[in-house]
């Protein structure tokens, strides 16, 4: 029949409305052509990794930045948006996680997002993935909240907690056991009355759209010896996301990149990594660099060190067919995947179908209901970046602490820093890092002025922040040295051993 229809299309011409085949058969050839176009068109998923500079316990400010990131993703035609770990309240809340009010305020932020009248933040066009803490049966969990069309489809708790170096997550949260099945969590009234939903599944699950499947990791789970993405990928999941709160340490980005690229190179698939950025009130600096990696290749990479904005979004368009081709070419992966499928009941993991409020299946590939639209998106498939940006250790030392100094300064409201100089290497290197901050600020101001000349809308103004701190309403610094003289004061600290 395919051959007959193809011949009929050839004979009748692509402009013909209908073609007769035999005495009793008449085919609408345009419908056939549209169907053939749709079936042959690539499956494209538009995704966004949101990198937010949040502030611990600043629920109003965090709400505004979170809202802005969701709006950016929606306006860009994104179908799946993922943000950083605990982005609603800020990762560095520490012992505030032991207070019930922290969880209540997080739900209040989510309710405020649901009430947004200017933008329909949670409609049927995009699946939104938000990080926040959740209480379930009196136990606190570090969770991902997944929302589609004003319905919470899944709460996914973190299964392996970080408890080394600067991390003390088991002090505030409990890990969700790997073999624990899905349960139902009762939603607080502030949410249930808004979305007409009383309970939601909580646990480890795969989200199944009409055209592909998605699973979630959280930060530390990527670094474990047996990460969840191994099982997900062998069970055929195409997209894995990771909302992270990973702080800066020398060469740590290289470790992250190696883990993600190695995983997708061996297993095939797409990995969406969304990290926080900035100082949220603690002693660490979250170094962003959100990225999208497909089949071992980096398609998109965000900023690692940034002072010019509080909301950064990394976009990518992923061709799902490339994942199928890549996996199909690896015989050994196919053998192991078949073995895993035979030994494990897929349903025990948790398998949730993504549907809109009217019961229709949700498509992660934009335009699946319209083949022509999806075919037109083929030109926008993201290509691997030519060169992955990795700073040398000396650059990381100059940039990371400098960004931390700026966030701490502007959020504390201080006029600047006082540095006692002893004449040694410690105070000299500290002064150099402070000057590095001023170089970054000057560059950001020049960027901002150029954008203003072009008529671009500026959401966050570094220059206004600098003027606020300096108490100078019309200040326009011309050099990094001028900024440094305003924000850094030095005094000589004499000592007996000093020469």
């Amino acid at each position: 029949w395919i051959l007959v229809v193809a011949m009929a299309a050839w004979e009748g011409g692509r402009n013909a409305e209908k073609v007769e085949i035999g005495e009793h058969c008449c085919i609408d050839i345009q419908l056939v052509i549209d169907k053939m176009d749709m079936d042959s068109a690539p499956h494209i998923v538009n995704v966004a990794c949101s990198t937010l500079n949040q502030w611990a316990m600043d629920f109003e400010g965090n709400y505004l930045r979170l809202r802005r990131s969701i709006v950016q993703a929606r306006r860009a035609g994104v179908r799946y948006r993922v943000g950083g770990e605990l982005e609603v309240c800020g990762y560095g809340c520490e012992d505030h996680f032991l207070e019930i009010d922290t969880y209540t305020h997080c739900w209040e932020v989510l309710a405020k997002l649901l009430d947004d009248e200017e933008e329909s933040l949670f409609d049927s066009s995009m699946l939104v993935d938000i990080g926040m803490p959740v209480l379930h049966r009196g136990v606190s969990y570090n969770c991902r909240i997944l929302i589609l069309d004003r319905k919470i489809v899944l709460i996914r708790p973190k299964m392996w907690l970080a408890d080394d170096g600067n991390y003390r997550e088991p002090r505030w949260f409990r890990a969700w056991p790997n073999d624990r099945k899905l349960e139902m969590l009762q939603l607080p009234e502030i949410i249930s009355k808004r979305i007409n939903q009383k309970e939601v599944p909580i646990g480890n699950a795969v989200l199944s759209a009409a055209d592909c499947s998605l699973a979630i990791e959280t930060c530390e789970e990527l670094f474990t010896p047996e990460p969840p993405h191994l099982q997900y990928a062998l069970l055929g999941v195409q997209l894995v996301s990771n909302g992270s709160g990973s702080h800066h340490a020398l060469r740590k980005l290289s470790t992250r990149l190696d883990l993600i690229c190695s995983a997708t190179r061996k297993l095939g698939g797409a990995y969406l990594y969304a990290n926080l950025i900035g100082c949220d009130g603690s002693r660490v600096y979250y170094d962003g660099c959100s990225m999208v990696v497909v089949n071992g290749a980096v398609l998109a990479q965000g900023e690692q060190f940034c002072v010019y904005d509080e909301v950064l979004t990394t976009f990518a368009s992923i061709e799902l067919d490339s994942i199928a081709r890549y996996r199909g070419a690896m015989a050994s992966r196919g053998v192991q995947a078949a073995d895993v499928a035979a030994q494990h009941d897929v349903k025990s993991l948790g398998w949730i179908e993504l549907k809109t409020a009217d019961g229709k299946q949700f498509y992660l590939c934009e335009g699946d209901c319209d083949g022509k639209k999806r075919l037109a998106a083929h030109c926008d498939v993201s290509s691997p970046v030519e060169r992955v940006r990795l700073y040398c250790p000396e650059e990381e030392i100059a940039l990371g602490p400098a960004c931390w100094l700026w966030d701490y300064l502007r959020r504390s409201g201080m006029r600047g820093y006082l540095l006692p100089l002893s004449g040694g290497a410690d105070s000299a290197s500290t002064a150099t890092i402070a000057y590095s901050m001023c170089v970054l600020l000057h560059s950001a101001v020049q960027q901002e002025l150029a954008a203003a000349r072009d008529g671009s809308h500026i959401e966050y103004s570094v220059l206004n922040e600098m003027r606020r701190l300096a108490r100078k309403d019309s200040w326009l610094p011309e050099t990094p040295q001028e900024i440094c003289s305003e924000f850094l004061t030095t005094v000589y600290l004499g000592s007996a051993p000093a020469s």
Side-chain angles (χ1 to χ4, degrees):
W1 275 107
I2 294 175
L3 180 59
V4 171
V5 170
M7 292 176 63
W10 179 264
E11 293 292 336
R14 292 180 66 93
N15 294 325
E17 294 182 358
K18 293 184 178 181
V19 173
E20 293 185 4
I21 302 177
E23 296 181 2
H24 306 289
C25 183
C26 182
I27 296 178
D28 188 328
I29 197 63
Q30 191 58 48
L31 289 177
V32 174
I33 292 172
D34 287 347
K35 176 63 177 173
M36 292 170 66
D37 283 344
M38 191 188 322
D39 292 341
S40 62
H43 294 71
I44 311 299
V45 183
N46 294 325
V47 299
C49 299
S50 298
T51 305
L52 306 185
N53 191 327
Q54 300 292 65
W55 188 240
M57 303 298 287
D58 176 22
F59 292 100
E60 180 60 30
N62 291 351
Y63 156 75
L64 293 173
R65 288 180 285 270
L66 182 55
R67 178 189 182 279
R68 184 178 154 207
S69 72
I70 297 173
V71 170
Q72 283 184 359
R74 285 189 70 256
R75 292 180 178 176
V78 165
R79 300 290 281 175
Y80 174 57
R81 177 266 181 201
V82 57
E85 187 174 9
L86 298 170
E87 59 184 337
V88 173
C89 57
Y91 185 90
C93 293
E94 299 186 349
D95 279 2
H96 287 294
F97 287 123
L98 302 177
E99 302 169 0
I100 301 299
D101 281 356
T102 303
Y103 300 83
T104 302
H105 294 324
C106 286
W107 286 115
E108 288 172 347
V109 169
L110 189 57
K112 194 172 181 179
L113 291 169
L114 288 166
D115 287 342
D116 195 290
E117 295 181 356
E118 278 188 50
E119 299 271 352
S120 181
L121 301 179
F122 304 113
D123 61 11
S124 61
S125 67
M126 183 171 69
L127 176 65
V128 181
D129 186 344
I130 296 174
M132 64 177 257
V134 171
L135 286 173
H136 175 56
R137 297 181 177 174
V139 181
S140 55
Y141 296 101
N142 179 347
C143 294
R144 309 298 307 176
I145 312 291
L146 290 108
I147 308 170
L148 173 65
D149 204 5
R150 293 183 59 81
K151 179 183 178 183
I152 302 177
V153 295
L154 174 68
I155 295 179
R156 202 286 201 177
K158 194 172 183 177
M159 297 192 295
W160 284 274
L161 303 178
D163 192 23
D164 53 14
N166 290 306
Y167 296 103
R168 291 293 178 269
E169 290 181 7
R171 177 180 173 90
W172 310 299
F173 303 111
R174 297 295 171 262
W176 184 272
N178 187 33
D179 56 352
R180 186 173 176 179
K181 294 187 178 181
L182 284 177
E183 299 175 4
M184 299 305 292
L185 177 142
Q186 296 296 317
L187 290 170
E189 185 180 359
I190 192 175
I191 299 297
S192 62
K193 69 181 182 181
R194 282 172 167 80
I195 61 176
N196 194 27
Q197 179 184 355
K198 293 184 177 180
E199 57 184 14
V200 58
I202 180 172
N204 183 21
V206 173
L207 297 176
S208 177
D211 45 9
C212 70
S213 52
L214 163 74
I216 300 99
E217 286 187 332
T218 305
C219 198
E220 178 71 11
E221 294 172 0
L222 170 65
F223 296 86
T224 57
E226 190 177 355
H229 66 250
L230 291 178
Q231 183 187 34
Y232 298 148
L234 290 175
L235 289 174
V237 174
Q238 291 100 328
L239 306 180
V240 176
S241 68
N242 185 322
S244 182
S246 186
H247 71 275
H248 172 248
L250 286 180
R251 317 314 294 155
K252 188 177 180 182
L253 175 58
S254 299
T255 302
R256 281 186 231 137
L257 193 62
D258 289 344
L259 288 170
I260 296 172
C261 289
S262 174
T264 57
R265 190 178 296 117
K266 289 188 300 182
L267 298 164
Y271 200 98
L272 285 59
Y273 179 83
N275 194 18
L276 300 170
I277 195 167
C279 160
D280 71 350
S282 62
R283 294 176 295 170
V284 300
Y285 176 81
Y286 305 101
D287 62 340
C289 203
S290 298
M291 65 186 85
V292 178
V293 181
V294 178
N295 300 334
V298 179
L299 297 193
Q301 180 186 14
E303 295 284 351
Q304 184 178 9
F305 305 111
C306 173
V307 299
Y308 64 81
D309 205 347
E310 294 183 315
V311 177
L312 307 172
T313 307
T314 304
F315 299 100
S317 296
I318 303 168
E319 183 188 357
L320 289 181
D321 301 323
S322 67
I323 297 174
R325 291 192 298 267
Y326 188 89
R327 287 176 171 175
M330 290 190 294
S332 57
R333 182 229 167 247
V335 171
Q336 292 191 357
D339 185 54
V340 166
Q343 294 182 19
H344 295 81
D345 180 7
V346 176
K347 297 295 182 183
S348 67
L349 172 64
W351 207 267
I352 298 175
E353 287 190 19
L354 290 175
K355 292 185 178 181
T356 58
D358 56 3
K360 294 181 179 179
Q361 288 184 308
F362 177 71
Y363 288 84
L364 273 170
C365 294
E366 182 182 5
D368 254 297
C369 298
D370 181 353
K372 293 181 179 178
K373 186 178 180 184
R374 179 152 53 96
L375 186 62
H378 178 53
C379 300
D380 299 325
V381 175
S382 300
S383 301
V385 298
E386 294 183 3
R387 181 175 176 272
V388 176
R389 183 178 59 256
L390 290 171
Y391 293 101
C392 67
E394 292 82 2
E395 290 174 314
E396 289 190 50
I397 292 170
L399 296 172
C403 291
W404 184 93
L405 284 176
W406 170 241
D407 278 343
Y408 195 89
L409 180 64
R410 70 189 179 91
R411 282 173 165 161
S412 67
M414 298 187 299
R415 286 289 299 268
Y417 290 107
L418 175 67
L419 175 63
L421 296 174
S422 64
D426 291 344
S427 58
S429 59
T430 302
T432 304
I433 290 172
Y435 179 71
S436 177
M437 174 193 76
C438 299
V439 172
L440 291 173
L441 292 177
H442 182 260
S443 176
V445 168
Q446 296 305 309
Q447 243 181 293
E448 186 178 319
L449 294 175
R453 286 192 295 269
D454 294 339
S456 302
H457 177 64
I458 300 171
E459 295 277 356
Y460 167 75
S461 173
V462 175
L463 183 57
N464 287 345
E465 290 277 64
M466 292 168 57
R467 288 171 174 171
R468 175 179 62 86
L469 295 172
R471 279 70 165 178
K472 296 179 179 179
D473 295 339
S474 59
W475 184 38
L476 186 60
E478 297 182 356
T479 64
Q481 289 85 350
E482 184 180 346
I483 299 173
C484 193
S485 65
E486 186 68 42
F487 292 140
L488 178 63
T489 301
T490 60
V491 295
Y492 176 65
L493 182 66
S495 61
S499 57

